């Protein structure tokens, strides 16, 4: 499952609601919002939360709220009746401090509860279960880390998730956005420090098979990133690349990696037809290095291979039989490893 973060410091404009609807169409099924409410804005936040809940219901999306005791009081609620927020469209609460094991257990019988994945201990979990915790309604959520160099270590993250899943809990993590970023640091909001400089979509693919819910921490996405998610929903990868020569129309087409995948390169099934003898042979260009992510096409010197488009999986040597077209941008290079046998992909040249 994948979702978006919505921060209630700004009003929910008609344009924003249209954007959320578009994201729902391409597979985003949940929203997260923070309810650490400033004292002078309680009525505004209450109104915006209700508005967001109405939108979530309309779009059939889950809505999780990060909440603290003071925020509950501002909303006219306590932990004992926090479950009534479901009447506003809130489907789950992320709780961390100021709530007892029994209150968590009681909440889990009425709605989804998200616990702090990093700090949850075995002792706390045992006590919650003794009070009747419904583990099917409990998720373990990792935080996001605004300050560079403070994101989680990968090995620790993997080990913690293994333990959480053995306890019967589903696991959530944040990945950074790449459109409108959240202040005050504007340094992106990942769970893993490894993800801070990667493209949003590369981060998503990295976690897709290892956690149960992935939320984008920042409030915005670039248009090209939205296109990557939309194409992925249609089982196709989009790779952004910088061109180093004139790109012919044929190389904008959807490509398919061969079913017998090569060790060193991604090989397009369709592309060799572009350079068939008797049709058009590609003239040799000046030979150039082929570092990881280089996009190439075999030229006339490669005979029957002429026209084959490839993407290098690691650094390869110069070859006069191979023309360099460009290179996948650094942020998207991790996506190359996700191109398996028969994977469809398209290059977005810039």
């Amino acid at each position: 499952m994948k979702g978006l973060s919505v921060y209630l410091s700004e009003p929910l404009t008609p344009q924003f609601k249209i954007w959320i609807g578009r994201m729902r169409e391409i597979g985003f099924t949940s929203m997260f919002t923070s309810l650490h409410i400033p004292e002078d804005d309680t009525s505004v936040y209450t109104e915006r939360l209700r508005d967001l809940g109405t939108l979530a219901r309309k779009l059939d999306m889950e809505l999780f709220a990060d909440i603290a005791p003071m925020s509950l009081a501002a909303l006219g609620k306590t932990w004992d009746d926090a479950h009534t927020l479901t009447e506003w469209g809130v489907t789950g609460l992320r709780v961390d401090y100021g709530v007892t094991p029994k209150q968590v257990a009681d909440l889990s019988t009425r709605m989804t509860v998200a616990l702090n994945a990093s700090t949850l201990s075995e002792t706390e979990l045992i006590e919650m279960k003794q009070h009747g915790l419904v583990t099917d309604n409990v998720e373990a959520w990792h935080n996001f880390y605004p300050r560079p160099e403070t994101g989680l270590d990968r090995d620790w993250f993997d080990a913690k998730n293994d333990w959480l899943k053995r306890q019967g809990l589903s696991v959530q993590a944040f990945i950074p956005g790449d459109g409108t970023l959240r202040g005050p640091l504007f340094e992106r909001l990942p769970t893993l420090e490894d993800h801070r400089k990667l493209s949003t979509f590369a981060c998503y693919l990295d976690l897709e098979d290892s956690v149960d819910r992935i939320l984008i921490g920042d409030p915005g996405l670039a248009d090209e990133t939205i296109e990557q998610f939309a194409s992925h929903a249609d089982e196709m990868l989009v790779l952004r690349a910088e061109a180093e020569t004139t790109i012919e129309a044929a190389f904008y087409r959807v490509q398919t990696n061969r079913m017998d995948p090569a060790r060193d390169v991604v090989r397009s099934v369709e592309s060799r037809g572009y350079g068939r003898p008797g049709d058009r042979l590609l003239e040799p260009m000046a030979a150039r290095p082929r570092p990881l992510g280089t996009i190439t096409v075999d030229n006339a010197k490669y005979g029957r291979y002429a026209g084959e488009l490839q993407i290098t999986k690691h650094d390869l040597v110069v070859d006069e039989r191979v023309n360099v077209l460009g290179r996948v941008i650094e942020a998207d290079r991790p996506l190359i490893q996700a191109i398996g046998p028969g994977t469809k992909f398209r290059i977005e040249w810039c």
Side-chain angles (χ1 to χ4, degrees), residues 136-158:
D136 286 346
N137 291 340
V138 178
E139 300 183 8
W141 282 36
H142 290 284
N143 292 324
F144 54 60
Y145 296 89
R147 186 199 185 283
E149 302 163 356
T150 64
L152 295 183
D153 172 78
R154 167 83 63 166
D155 291 340
W156 184 91
F157 174 80
D158 290 340

Side-chain angles (χ1 to χ4, degrees), residues 32 64-67 79 91-109 111-145 152 156-157 160-161 163-165 167-174 191 212-213 215:
F32 163 75
F64 291 84
D66 185 12
I67 203 158
W79 283 122
T91 57
L93 292 179
R94 184 183 187 274
V95 300
D96 196 353
Y97 61 91
V99 57
T100 68
K102 185 178 187 307
Q103 287 170 329
V104 172
D106 289 345
L107 271 176
S108 74
T109 67
M111 66 193 310
T112 303
V113 180
L115 304 175
N116 189 319
S118 298
T119 62
L120 181 64
S121 69
E122 185 171 10
T123 300
E124 290 172 322
L125 188 57
I126 289 173
E127 188 173 357
M128 292 175 189
K129 289 181 177 179
Q130 288 172 343
H131 287 289
L133 187 74
V134 182
T135 55
D136 286 346
N137 291 340
V138 178
E139 300 183 8
W141 282 36
H142 290 284
N143 292 324
F144 54 60
Y145 296 89
L152 295 183
W156 184 91
F157 174 80
K160 186 71 173 187
N161 291 346
W163 177 80
L164 291 165
K165 291 187 176 185
Q167 310 313 306
L169 305 181
S170 58
V171 178
Q172 175 274 351
F174 286 96
T191 288
D212 304 288
R213 185 188 302 276
L215 291 173

Side-chain angles (χ1 to χ4, degrees), residues 159-190:
K160 186 71 173 187
N161 291 346
D162 179 66
W163 177 80
L164 291 165
K165 291 187 176 185
R166 283 189 279 110
Q167 310 313 306
L169 305 181
S170 58
V171 178
Q172 175 274 351
F174 286 96
I175 59 174
D178 58 4
T180 301
L181 302 183
R182 191 183 189 207
L185 297 182
F186 304 100
E187 295 278 3
R188 309 180 79 202
L189 300 177

Side-chain angles (χ1 to χ4, degrees), residues 48-117:
R48 289 176 183 172
L49 177 61
R50 286 179 174 271
D51 194 12
L52 187 61
T54 299
L55 179 63
R57 280 179 166 170
K58 178 181 177 181
L59 297 176
D60 191 24
M61 297 179 74
E62 296 177 280
L63 175 58
F64 291 84
D66 185 12
I67 203 158
M70 289 183 61
S71 304
L72 276 176
L75 297 173
K77 306 288 184 181
T78 68
W79 283 122
D80 293 330
D81 66 351
H83 63 274
T84 61
L85 287 171
T86 57
E87 298 169 4
W88 299 7
V90 177
T91 57
L93 292 179
R94 184 183 187 274
V95 300
D96 196 353
Y97 61 91
V99 57
T100 68
K102 185 178 187 307
Q103 287 170 329
V104 172
D106 289 345
L107 271 176
S108 74
T109 67
R110 299 172 179 268
M111 66 193 310
T112 303
V113 180
L115 304 175
N116 189 319

